[in-house]
Amino acid sequence: MKQKMLVISAHPGDFVWRSAGTIAKYVSDGWQVRIICLSYGARGESAAFYKTGGDYAACCEVRKAEAAGAAEALGAEICFSGYEDFCLDMSPERIRKLAEDILAFEPDIILTHDTGKDRVNPDHMITGRAVLEAYETAAESGMKYAPVFGFEPMNPELCGYKADVYIDITEVWDQKVKAMECMQTQKKSRAAYEEKAVFRASYAAGRGGNKGCRYAETFSRFFPICEFDDFAV
Amino acid sequence: MKQKMLVISAHPGDFVWRSAGTIAKYVSDGWQVRIICLSYGARGESAAFYKTGGDYAACCEVRKAEAAGAAEALGAEICFSGYEDFCLDMSPERIRKLAEDILAFEPDIILTHDTGKDRVNPDHMITGRAVLEAYETAAESGMKYAPVFGFEPMNPELCGYKADVYIDITEVWDQKVKAMECMQTQKKSRAAYEEKAVFRASYAAGRGGNKGCRYAETFSRFFPICEFDDFAV
Amino acid sequence: MKQKMLVISAHPGDFVWRSAGTIAKYVSDGWQVRIICLSYGARGESAAFYKTGGDYAACCEVRKAEAAGAAEALGAEICFSGYEDFCLDMSPERIRKLAEDILAFEPDIILTHDTGKDRVNPDHMITGRAVLEAYETAAESGMKYAPVFGFEPMNPELCGYKADVYIDITEVWDQKVKAMECMQTQKKSRAAYEEKAVFRASYAAGRGGNKGCRYAETFSRFFPICEFDDFAV
Amino acid sequence: MKQKMLVISAHPGDFVWRSAGTIAKYVSDGWQVRIICLSYGARGESAAFYKTGGDYAACCEVRKAEAAGAAEALGAEICFSGYEDFCLDMSPERIRKLAEDILAFEPDIILTHDTGKDRVNPDHMITGRAVLEAYETAAESGMKYAPVFGFEPMNPELCGYKADVYIDITEVWDQKVKAMECMQTQKKSRAAYEEKAVFRASYAAGRGGNKGCRYAETFSRFFPICEFDDFAV
Amino acid sequence: MKQKMLVISAHPGDFVWRSAGTIAKYVSDGWQVRIICLSYGARGESAAFYKTGGDYAACCEVRKAEAAGAAEALGAEICFSGYEDFCLDMSPERIRKLAEDILAFEPDIILTHDTGKDRVNPDHMITGRAVLEAYETAAESGMKYAPVFGFEPMNPELCGYKADVYIDITEVWDQKVKAMECMQTQKKSRAAYEEKAVFRASYAAGRGGNKGCRYAETFSRFFPICEFDDFAV
Amino acid sequence: MKQKMLVISAHPGDFVWRSAGTIAKYVSDGWQVRIICLSYGARGESAAFYKTGGDYAACCEVRKAEAAGAAEALGAEICFSGYEDFCLDMSPERIRKLAEDILAFEPDIILTHDTGKDRVNPDHMITGRAVLEAYETAAESGMKYAPVFGFEPMNPELCGYKADVYIDITEVWDQKVKAMECMQTQKKSRAAYEEKAVFRASYAAGRGGNKGCRYAETFSRFFPICEFDDFAV
């Protein structure tokens, strides 16, 4: 039976820019990856779309299609919660619904937004906190405690983010490129995330000892490591 | 060729109370473990000894012998720097000497004191910072970047310590007991560290999923993980 | 007229594990102690109960009875708000209701959950923050500013908790044991909290100078001390 | 066309005590200043009023009139959202409404409550966070990114506030006095804020080099400076 | 036998501006108070003196006399270590000397500089850290663990200082004024510290419930409270 | 008379990678810029040199020449303190010497290393702290309080660095390239810093509103802004 990764993303682009390489890597290692996308991002990060004259409903359709395309390019499943973004309202009811979704999937690893003080995108903080509440609710109902990792925010230098793990995505970089190319509404972000992946790789290749690393993504870790018998260095 | 762990301890007792289980575990896994003990702890943590009427030189001898006994019980080598404690003076010269020692040993893992704000034992903070400087000096001279882990301080609730890794030491608990019993000068600490190991195990056995864990030690991690290809959960 | 302590607990077990000794001590000193228990904890921390085949309503009954028994063992009153747990929804209306309850009781001391980043139990953070809002609302309506203390979370090493006060509960330890024994649904927690009380006492007996202290509980303090004319050391 | 400053205040007094000097200064420099006052503060900070025997509705009227008087004394416009205070409920709907108000005004500078841990007034934290969410929502709809500054809380020594900017209000001090005098319900606060303005000026006049500074207000800055070509020292 | 307070001050003015009221209060309560003044402050905070044409040696004499006068006005003893200031060099030898001085006096309470990030006066941070090291060294030699309190820095809004205790100095205010008047070299600081004492009193008189408080000093607390049997509210 | 910027760099490369664009920009605006380079970096960051077979003295010469070439390319003066690096020993004597150098130059702006927890390069932290002490020493001797800015460390995601200012260096990018090309010993760093400059520009061009910004450097700010009459947005 396959191991499973669950990715919970506030908007359609988030899982692509922040974790597409990691998703592709796990898929290529034989994992089942499911993405829950809480909103269509039709308020936020859609400025480019509205300049073309489309309306809100059209924007939802376009961005949903972009995200579905990116997920397909990565070999992952995707579900849409359809909540309005900016500002995302994660009520207790929605948190319980999310807990049920987590429990039903039984993930071995969860990726989502870091709970840090990301001032430039409150929806991301709201998502990180809601996932934490849903996770504990699911755990109280018997879910195995899967490790949870946090996305690196767009501008870590603004919000006190600290990387706990660097993932080498060099071998799946082409797939991340394909996924990024699906995001036509936000296409101006593509270059910046390529610069970032290269910059992060300079650490992994240098101090990290992964000499061949040319592209990397980083994540924070929500809980300490204790599943294994050693330091898992 | 054996993998190597280097443990740098401010006083004779520190490596015992904080990491004897982890040392024993790695030794039993076939690693070579070397301990560098910076002082004999003849000023600090030796109150019990002086009540017996001994002097400073005698205290150094006794505590050195205790530490050597504990190292032997764990199957580890030990070297003594012989610096005075309280307050430990880690001058630039001593830091360069330590860098040479690190470089000569070529460790795969380093354990030492956390650099956090341990108000109740400044020697521990001084050691953590000195190791960090020595480590970077050694790295600039060509040492491989080994991961560095920080001891849990005696009272984490006073100093903002956060555990990054829990190590299950259940199978080597008997050896930790033997090492602790060598520390006759500080024998009143023994019970408290047993309580702590049991309490830490309650987390590892519960949320950590190590159901059989009955004793555990925790450590902080100085740098992010990036040597491996995945989350090493 | 008696002095009064108010304890606000997210779930039935919280006031027992974290503050039963302190409650018993104040009761034995002649204080009136009232506990407000916000939920029956029938979603969280009730896994053991459901294995016996009971349903949600039965769980509420059982856990309510356990908490009532523990309160009685301690000589304290208890009221139940009956809110659902995981995740606890402290809406503005409920916060105002809580403010009225605080105002009606006129406490001299309040104990509740710390507002720190307790990632492993979001209900606790939600409670701490709600009490803070309710407290300020009550204060604006004329309540005397009583000092507020925060429970030590289960795993302080995960959430940056800092202890401000250690309470010696050696003399009332038997009563805490009786209260803990009422919590049959969570009986596996009992040993861990005993280990913790002993470990905390090692600090109070050593640096704290309470030589006879064998069991202790710790608390954070929400506001500075300023009622008295001196350092209240 | 005039430059515009938007001030978002939880209660009627907040914009007066914390920013009246800065408002007056910008007005005297030719700016248009609009204040959005979210509540009438009829629960909080109105204890003095109720001692006179008035009811809630009367309190709303009185405090609205005081705030309107203060705004007029400063040469600023004021709008009232009319939300209940203690505790202020900034629901997603209200945040979207606020985003529309921000977007409609197109401010060049925004002043509001700091998002820091102001334990003594949760309404202030709730306001700071709501403004941040509303700001990002407005920005996603095309608003220019105006810099946002946070009020100094009443007691910065309780909540980790750090000043990023000191504003010299010496020349408009008389106007701040007039505005403060409008706040008859809270008149006991007046002296404390004068002491504070003088104390803050001692830093600005000393290290800041504004030798003539006799009264000052401080603010935190939500985002880094990057509009200009230099350090804007 | 008298209880004893030890005050360790980096420069001659520090103990006056930051703690003269508290010293006077304890003296009036029958305590023996000793001040250790590490430097004459002849480099720092002496700009006014040099404008009068005096040299370094003369400055040392003048400032020593001012501090001795202030101590006398407060009824306290004073000793001078005579170290150079800016930047104060607290070598391991000096820390051991300080440990001996602490041990010889056997204080019941210690006041000194907070160890926080006081960017505007590094000598203060150096002193706070040196006292902490000396304190632990003395404690290892058998000193009773006395509580340690940190001075409020000049500008808490710059350095993350948090007040743990407010001391009402209303009754001894006249003595603080006399002590401040001894500091002729720094006479421009006098007004600012009066403003601050009044502002701090506004908190103590309001939320603190000390209705008659008109002047206050605040302090941080280095270690938790555990000597007493209750919350010492 | 020209305005003056002082740049204090631990090693030869630091001022180039972290601030060459800003230096070039100020030079082109007519400022006099002086660089104080504390060491030749012959231990740290010189691994590439030693592979060519050179010795320590030769390395000092080569790296000094590289730094001098870079300074010349930027139109700045440079002085070398000649201290050994890894680990840099900033004794009280050296700090006083640095204070004299600062005082002699009378800078209007100072750039140096951030004092944050840069675990991967302790020399940088040591420099930042030494500059702070030297700065206050100089200020006590009458120096005007110039604003101090901190370099962005190589890996801000490891050390809690927060950017306070973004400087647009697009127009002087060619000069930064020329300066970087002088650093032949570290030439593998060049690409990483170009990626970083581009990534930082993505923030300045987006939220910062500098649409034309293609390359940027960021800095932290050591003290609040208070020289000017407004927010200097």
Side-chain angles (χ1 to χ4, degrees), chain C residues 9-118:
Chain C
S9 182
H11 312 104
D14 300 331
F15 75 88
V16 180
W17 310 118
R18 290 162 174 73
S19 65
T22 300
I23 291 171
K25 184 168 197 164
Y26 274 75
V27 168
S28 82
D29 285 352
W31 287 50
Q32 176 185 3
V33 179
R34 178 176 295 172
I35 298 152
I36 296 177
C37 186
L38 298 175
S39 77
Y40 299 122
R43 280 223 183 71
E45 305 173 18
S46 296
F49 175 82
Y50 292 112
K51 285 182 189 152
T52 67
D55 66 4
Y56 184 84
C59 186
C60 291
E61 281 312 300
V62 166
R63 300 213 59 199
K64 183 178 180 182
E66 289 176 1
E72 191 179 1
L74 300 169
E77 308 160 20
I78 189 164
C79 326
F80 295 91
S81 304
Y83 302 144
E84 285 187 90
D85 65 331
F86 282 95
C87 55
L88 196 57
D89 178 17
M90 291 305 290
S91 62
E93 290 70 32
R94 289 178 175 183
I95 288 171
R96 283 198 192 122
K97 172 69 174 63
L98 184 57
E100 286 161 22
D101 293 343
I102 294 174
L103 200 51
F105 187 63
E106 295 190 277
D108 296 283
I109 287 183
I110 296 174
L111 307 186
T112 191
H113 295 272
D114 191 75
T115 57
K117 300 180 183 170
D118 187 355

Side-chain angles (χ1 to χ4, degrees), chain D residues 42-64:
Chain D
R43 279 223 183 71
E45 305 173 16
S46 296
F49 175 82
Y50 293 112
K51 286 182 189 152
T52 66
D55 66 3
Y56 184 84
C59 186
C60 290
E61 281 313 300
V62 165
R63 298 212 59 200
K64 183 179 179 181

